[in-house]
Structures are given as structure tokens and as C-alpha cells.
Amino acid sequence: MLDFGAVSLEWGTMLTQAIVFLVLLLAVRKFAMGPIVAVMEKRRQYVENEINSAERNRKEAEALLAEQRRVLDEARVESKSIIDRATKQASDEAAKIVAEAQSAAERMKAEASAELAREVAKAKAELQEQMTSLSVLLASKILEKELDEASQKAAIDKFLAQVGDRL
């Protein structure tokens, strides 16, 4: 036994306590530390797998985002192409309609001019016919009676007035 005044130590108790401590330490190490370390290792692997999975998901999301942007850009280019084609087609159609309208207007103008020319020719023919009949009528009246110069002049003026009224 060791005596230090207020504290005394017994070798047997100390040795027993040391052996119990070592047995307890071995038991804790075997029965408690193994499962705790295994649980901690499983937890570490789970966290590592989750981090790897999150990294893969992030990369997949970035790839999908890039693909969506590419598809969106293609759609924009295609829609611009469709709009450009539609605009060109509408412009071509408008030009075609204007050309057809101008052609129709020219045809109508030509037909109207031809109709007017026919009407003028017809009017001239009728006028000439009337002039001929009036001339014959005047000549027959002049021949029926012999007129003096003043009477002839009055008859001609009257004839011209009649012709003017009919025109």
C-alpha cells in the first residue's frame, strides 16, 4: 500500500481496477466501437453517394439546359425562317394581285377605248346618213322652187340649225 497522507492507494485495488478498465475497454471496442464505426462508415458512404448523385444530377441538368437552349435557338431560327418565307410569299402575292389588277385595268381601258371608238364611228355614220338625207331633202326643196339668194341663204341656215340640234 502506498500512503500519501490523505490519499492511500492499494496495489490490489489498483491492479483490479486496471484489469477491469482494460476488459471494459476491450469489450467497448469489440461490442460498441465496431458497430459505431460501421454506422459511421455507412453514413460517410451515404453522404458521399448523395454528393456524387447530386453532382451527376447537376451535370445532367446542365446538359438538359444546354439541350433546351439549343432546341429553343433552333426553334427561333425556324420561326424566323417561316416568318421570312410568309412575308416573301405575301409580298409576292401582293405584287401578283397588283399586276393582275393593272392588267385588268388595262384590259378594261382598252375595251372602253374600243367601245368608245365604235360608238364614235357609229355616231359619225349616223351623222353622215342624216347629213345625206338632209342634203337630199334640202336639194329637193331647192329644186322644187327656185329661190332667190336670200331664200337660199335662209334655207341653208335653217338646215344647219337642224343639223346642229341633232348633233
Side-chain angles (χ1 to χ4, degrees), residues 27-47:
V28 166
R29 186 170 186 192
K30 178 170 177 111
F31 295 111
M33 289 301 280
I36 290 174
V37 169
V39 166
M40 294 301 284
E41 180 61 25
K42 281 173 96 178
R43 179 74 179 150
R44 185 193 64 77
Q45 287 177 354
Y46 175 75
V47 169

PDB file of all heavy atoms in Angstrom, residues 27-47:
ATOM      1  N   ALA A  27     -14.090  -4.714 -24.289  1.00  0.00           N
ATOM      2  CA  ALA A  27     -15.498  -5.017 -24.542  1.00  0.00           C
ATOM      3  C   ALA A  27     -16.161  -3.869 -25.304  1.00  0.00           C
ATOM      4  O   ALA A  27     -16.921  -4.084 -26.257  1.00  0.00           O
ATOM      5  CB  ALA A  27     -16.232  -5.282 -23.216  1.00  0.00           C
ATOM      6  N   VAL A  28     -15.885  -2.641 -24.884  1.00  0.00           N
ATOM      7  CA  VAL A  28     -16.444  -1.478 -25.588  1.00  0.00           C
ATOM      8  C   VAL A  28     -15.928  -1.441 -27.009  1.00  0.00           C
ATOM      9  O   VAL A  28     -16.666  -1.189 -27.960  1.00  0.00           O
ATOM     10  CB  VAL A  28     -16.119  -0.174 -24.829  1.00  0.00           C
ATOM     11  CG1 VAL A  28     -16.390   1.045 -25.688  1.00  0.00           C
ATOM     12  CG2 VAL A  28     -16.899  -0.103 -23.538  1.00  0.00           C
ATOM     13  N   ARG A  29     -14.629  -1.714 -27.158  1.00  0.00           N
ATOM     14  CA  ARG A  29     -14.043  -1.682 -28.501  1.00  0.00           C
ATOM     15  C   ARG A  29     -14.670  -2.756 -29.371  1.00  0.00           C
ATOM     16  O   ARG A  29     -14.978  -2.504 -30.538  1.00  0.00           O
ATOM     17  CB  ARG A  29     -12.537  -1.860 -28.408  1.00  0.00           C
ATOM     18  CG  ARG A  29     -11.875  -1.686 -29.726  1.00  0.00           C
ATOM     19  CD  ARG A  29     -10.404  -1.626 -29.559  1.00  0.00           C
ATOM     20  NE  ARG A  29      -9.822  -1.323 -30.845  1.00  0.00           N
ATOM     21  CZ  ARG A  29      -8.565  -1.417 -31.124  1.00  0.00           C
ATOM     22  NH1 ARG A  29      -7.731  -1.764 -30.187  1.00  0.00           N
ATOM     23  NH2 ARG A  29      -8.131  -1.121 -32.311  1.00  0.00           N
ATOM     24  N   LYS A  30     -14.858  -3.964 -28.836  1.00  0.00           N
ATOM     25  CA  LYS A  30     -15.368  -5.059 -29.625  1.00  0.00           C
ATOM     26  C   LYS A  30     -16.865  -4.896 -29.886  1.00  0.00           C
ATOM     27  O   LYS A  30     -17.326  -5.084 -30.996  1.00  0.00           O
ATOM     28  CB  LYS A  30     -15.086  -6.392 -28.931  1.00  0.00           C
ATOM     29  CG  LYS A  30     -15.640  -7.556 -29.709  1.00  0.00           C
ATOM     30  CD  LYS A  30     -15.147  -8.863 -29.153  1.00  0.00           C
ATOM     31  CE  LYS A  30     -15.768 -10.000 -29.889  1.00  0.00           C
ATOM     32  NZ  LYS A  30     -14.941 -10.767 -30.695  1.00  0.00           N
ATOM     33  N   PHE A  31     -17.641  -4.583 -28.840  1.00  0.00           N
ATOM     34  CA  PHE A  31     -19.086  -4.602 -28.980  1.00  0.00           C
ATOM     35  C   PHE A  31     -19.690  -3.238 -29.321  1.00  0.00           C
ATOM     36  O   PHE A  31     -20.719  -3.175 -29.956  1.00  0.00           O
ATOM     37  CB  PHE A  31     -19.735  -5.139 -27.698  1.00  0.00           C
ATOM     38  CG  PHE A  31     -19.387  -6.569 -27.439  1.00  0.00           C
ATOM     39  CD1 PHE A  31     -18.563  -6.916 -26.376  1.00  0.00           C
ATOM     40  CD2 PHE A  31     -19.865  -7.573 -28.257  1.00  0.00           C
ATOM     41  CE1 PHE A  31     -18.232  -8.237 -26.150  1.00  0.00           C
ATOM     42  CE2 PHE A  31     -19.529  -8.898 -28.014  1.00  0.00           C
ATOM     43  CZ  PHE A  31     -18.712  -9.235 -26.954  1.00  0.00           C
ATOM     44  N   ALA A  32     -19.092  -2.166 -28.942  1.00  0.00           N
ATOM     45  CA  ALA A  32     -19.676  -0.849 -29.176  1.00  0.00           C
ATOM     46  C   ALA A  32     -18.963  -0.106 -30.293  1.00  0.00           C
ATOM     47  O   ALA A  32     -19.598   0.503 -31.159  1.00  0.00           O
ATOM     48  CB  ALA A  32     -19.658  -0.018 -27.897  1.00  0.00           C
ATOM     49  N   MET A  33     -17.652  -0.114 -30.286  1.00  0.00           N
ATOM     50  CA  MET A  33     -16.909   0.661 -31.279  1.00  0.00           C
ATOM     51  C   MET A  33     -17.067   0.088 -32.678  1.00  0.00           C
ATOM     52  O   MET A  33     -17.151   0.836 -33.652  1.00  0.00           O
ATOM     53  CB  MET A  33     -15.412   0.730 -30.914  1.00  0.00           C
ATOM     54  CG  MET A  33     -15.116   1.593 -29.718  1.00  0.00           C
ATOM     55  SD  MET A  33     -15.650   3.281 -29.934  1.00  0.00           S
ATOM     56  CE  MET A  33     -14.359   3.936 -30.904  1.00  0.00           C
ATOM     57  N   GLY A  34     -17.108  -1.205 -32.826  1.00  0.00           N
ATOM     58  CA  GLY A  34     -17.278  -1.827 -34.141  1.00  0.00           C
ATOM     59  C   GLY A  34     -18.577  -1.380 -34.797  1.00  0.00           C
ATOM     60  O   GLY A  34     -18.570  -0.875 -35.938  1.00  0.00           O
ATOM     61  N   PRO A  35     -19.725  -1.548 -34.105  1.00  0.00           N
ATOM     62  CA  PRO A  35     -20.974  -1.097 -34.698  1.00  0.00           C
ATOM     63  C   PRO A  35     -21.010   0.418 -34.911  1.00  0.00           C
ATOM     64  O   PRO A  35     -21.528   0.888 -35.925  1.00  0.00           O
ATOM     65  CB  PRO A  35     -22.035  -1.541 -33.692  1.00  0.00           C
ATOM     66  CG  PRO A  35     -21.430  -2.683 -32.965  1.00  0.00           C
ATOM     67  CD  PRO A  35     -19.964  -2.376 -32.905  1.00  0.00           C
ATOM     68  N   ILE A  36     -20.461   1.189 -33.968  1.00  0.00           N
ATOM     69  CA  ILE A  36     -20.455   2.651 -34.129  1.00  0.00           C
ATOM     70  C   ILE A  36     -19.610   3.037 -35.335  1.00  0.00           C
ATOM     71  O   ILE A  36     -20.016   3.863 -36.156  1.00  0.00           O
ATOM     72  CB  ILE A  36     -19.961   3.344 -32.840  1.00  0.00           C
ATOM     73  CG1 ILE A  36     -20.992   3.194 -31.739  1.00  0.00           C
ATOM     74  CG2 ILE A  36     -19.664   4.814 -33.103  1.00  0.00           C
ATOM     75  CD1 ILE A  36     -20.538   3.715 -30.387  1.00  0.00           C
ATOM     76  N   VAL A  37     -18.452   2.425 -35.466  1.00  0.00           N
ATOM     77  CA  VAL A  37     -17.579   2.718 -36.614  1.00  0.00           C
ATOM     78  C   VAL A  37     -18.264   2.272 -37.904  1.00  0.00           C
ATOM     79  O   VAL A  37     -18.208   2.971 -38.925  1.00  0.00           O
ATOM     80  CB  VAL A  37     -16.194   2.047 -36.429  1.00  0.00           C
ATOM     81  CG1 VAL A  37     -15.377   2.101 -37.713  1.00  0.00           C
ATOM     82  CG2 VAL A  37     -15.437   2.704 -35.291  1.00  0.00           C
ATOM     83  N   ALA A  38     -18.948   1.111 -37.872  1.00  0.00           N
ATOM     84  CA  ALA A  38     -19.642   0.627 -39.072  1.00  0.00           C
ATOM     85  C   ALA A  38     -20.762   1.593 -39.449  1.00  0.00           C
ATOM     86  O   ALA A  38     -20.952   1.920 -40.633  1.00  0.00           O
ATOM     87  CB  ALA A  38     -20.189  -0.770 -38.824  1.00  0.00           C
ATOM     88  N   VAL A  39     -21.541   2.067 -38.456  1.00  0.00           N
ATOM     89  CA  VAL A  39     -22.604   3.027 -38.725  1.00  0.00           C
ATOM     90  C   VAL A  39     -22.014   4.314 -39.279  1.00  0.00           C
ATOM     91  O   VAL A  39     -22.538   4.905 -40.241  1.00  0.00           O
ATOM     92  CB  VAL A  39     -23.450   3.279 -37.443  1.00  0.00           C
ATOM     93  CG1 VAL A  39     -24.335   4.504 -37.614  1.00  0.00           C
ATOM     94  CG2 VAL A  39     -24.268   2.062 -37.103  1.00  0.00           C
ATOM     95  N   MET A  40     -20.929   4.773 -38.700  1.00  0.00           N
ATOM     96  CA  MET A  40     -20.275   5.998 -39.174  1.00  0.00           C
ATOM     97  C   MET A  40     -19.743   5.813 -40.607  1.00  0.00           C
ATOM     98  O   MET A  40     -19.848   6.734 -41.430  1.00  0.00           O
ATOM     99  CB  MET A  40     -19.141   6.417 -38.230  1.00  0.00           C
ATOM    100  CG  MET A  40     -19.607   6.838 -36.852  1.00  0.00           C
ATOM    101  SD  MET A  40     -20.748   8.215 -36.910  1.00  0.00           S
ATOM    102  CE  MET A  40     -19.647   9.528 -37.241  1.00  0.00           C
ATOM    103  N   GLU A  41     -19.213   4.639 -40.902  1.00  0.00           N
ATOM    104  CA  GLU A  41     -18.721   4.364 -42.260  1.00  0.00           C
ATOM    105  C   GLU A  41     -19.878   4.331 -43.258  1.00  0.00           C
ATOM    106  O   GLU A  41     -19.781   4.881 -44.356  1.00  0.00           O
ATOM    107  CB  GLU A  41     -17.945   3.047 -42.275  1.00  0.00           C
ATOM    108  CG  GLU A  41     -17.380   2.670 -43.632  1.00  0.00           C
ATOM    109  CD  GLU A  41     -16.378   3.677 -44.195  1.00  0.00           C
ATOM    110  OE1 GLU A  41     -15.723   4.422 -43.433  1.00  0.00           O
ATOM    111  OE2 GLU A  41     -16.265   3.752 -45.435  1.00  0.00           O
ATOM    112  N   LYS A  42     -21.011   3.695 -42.847  1.00  0.00           N
ATOM    113  CA  LYS A  42     -22.188   3.672 -43.715  1.00  0.00           C
ATOM    114  C   LYS A  42     -22.692   5.091 -43.954  1.00  0.00           C
ATOM    115  O   LYS A  42     -23.053   5.453 -45.072  1.00  0.00           O
ATOM    116  CB  LYS A  42     -23.306   2.832 -43.076  1.00  0.00           C
ATOM    117  CG  LYS A  42     -23.121   1.347 -43.242  1.00  0.00           C
ATOM    118  CD  LYS A  42     -24.157   0.588 -42.433  1.00  0.00           C
ATOM    119  CE  LYS A  42     -25.316   0.207 -43.276  1.00  0.00           C
ATOM    120  NZ  LYS A  42     -26.328  -0.569 -42.523  1.00  0.00           N
ATOM    121  N   ARG A  43     -22.705   5.882 -42.919  1.00  0.00           N
ATOM    122  CA  ARG A  43     -23.142   7.275 -43.035  1.00  0.00           C
ATOM    123  C   ARG A  43     -22.202   8.052 -43.964  1.00  0.00           C
ATOM    124  O   ARG A  43     -22.665   8.837 -44.789  1.00  0.00           O
ATOM    125  CB  ARG A  43     -23.181   7.914 -41.640  1.00  0.00           C
ATOM    126  CG  ARG A  43     -23.587   9.343 -41.622  1.00  0.00           C
ATOM    127  CD  ARG A  43     -25.066   9.481 -41.867  1.00  0.00           C
ATOM    128  NE  ARG A  43     -25.431  10.888 -41.806  1.00  0.00           N
ATOM    129  CZ  ARG A  43     -26.406  11.424 -42.466  1.00  0.00           C
ATOM    130  NH1 ARG A  43     -27.160  10.665 -43.234  1.00  0.00           N
ATOM    131  NH2 ARG A  43     -26.681  12.685 -42.356  1.00  0.00           N
ATOM    132  N   ARG A  44     -20.901   7.848 -43.830  1.00  0.00           N
ATOM    133  CA  ARG A  44     -19.935   8.516 -44.708  1.00  0.00           C
ATOM    134  C   ARG A  44     -20.160   8.115 -46.158  1.00  0.00           C
ATOM    135  O   ARG A  44     -20.176   8.968 -47.061  1.00  0.00           O
ATOM    136  CB  ARG A  44     -18.505   8.170 -44.265  1.00  0.00           C
ATOM    137  CG  ARG A  44     -17.425   8.933 -45.053  1.00  0.00           C
ATOM    138  CD  ARG A  44     -16.040   8.383 -44.835  1.00  0.00           C
ATOM    139  NE  ARG A  44     -15.872   7.026 -45.311  1.00  0.00           N
ATOM    140  CZ  ARG A  44     -15.725   6.672 -46.604  1.00  0.00           C
ATOM    141  NH1 ARG A  44     -15.752   7.592 -47.549  1.00  0.00           N
ATOM    142  NH2 ARG A  44     -15.572   5.422 -46.945  1.00  0.00           N
ATOM    143  N   GLN A  45     -20.377   6.804 -46.399  1.00  0.00           N
ATOM    144  CA  GLN A  45     -20.622   6.331 -47.760  1.00  0.00           C
ATOM    145  C   GLN A  45     -21.940   6.896 -48.302  1.00  0.00           C
ATOM    146  O   GLN A  45     -22.021   7.281 -49.480  1.00  0.00           O
ATOM    147  CB  GLN A  45     -20.647   4.796 -47.800  1.00  0.00           C
ATOM    148  CG  GLN A  45     -19.278   4.168 -47.641  1.00  0.00           C
ATOM    149  CD  GLN A  45     -19.357   2.646 -47.617  1.00  0.00           C
ATOM    150  OE1 GLN A  45     -20.444   2.068 -47.604  1.00  0.00           O
ATOM    151  NE2 GLN A  45     -18.194   1.998 -47.599  1.00  0.00           N
ATOM    152  N   TYR A  46     -22.973   6.955 -47.469  1.00  0.00           N
ATOM    153  CA  TYR A  46     -24.264   7.508 -47.887  1.00  0.00           C
ATOM    154  C   TYR A  46     -24.107   8.977 -48.297  1.00  0.00           C
ATOM    155  O   TYR A  46     -24.592   9.399 -49.348  1.00  0.00           O
ATOM    156  CB  TYR A  46     -25.290   7.375 -46.755  1.00  0.00           C
ATOM    157  CG  TYR A  46     -26.604   8.036 -47.053  1.00  0.00           C
ATOM    158  CD1 TYR A  46     -27.508   7.455 -47.927  1.00  0.00           C
ATOM    159  CD2 TYR A  46     -26.932   9.265 -46.495  1.00  0.00           C
ATOM    160  CE1 TYR A  46     -28.714   8.059 -48.221  1.00  0.00           C
ATOM    161  CE2 TYR A  46     -28.133   9.890 -46.781  1.00  0.00           C
ATOM    162  CZ  TYR A  46     -29.018   9.281 -47.641  1.00  0.00           C
ATOM    163  OH  TYR A  46     -30.202   9.893 -47.929  1.00  0.00           O
ATOM    164  N   VAL A  47     -23.419   9.745 -47.464  1.00  0.00           N
ATOM    165  CA  VAL A  47     -23.202  11.166 -47.764  1.00  0.00           C
ATOM    166  C   VAL A  47     -22.376  11.309 -49.036  1.00  0.00           C
ATOM    167  O   VAL A  47     -22.685  12.138 -49.911  1.00  0.00           O
ATOM    168  CB  VAL A  47     -22.528  11.877 -46.566  1.00  0.00           C
ATOM    169  CG1 VAL A  47     -22.059  13.265 -46.953  1.00  0.00           C
ATOM    170  CG2 VAL A  47     -23.476  11.936 -45.382  1.00  0.00           C
TER     171      VAL A  47
END
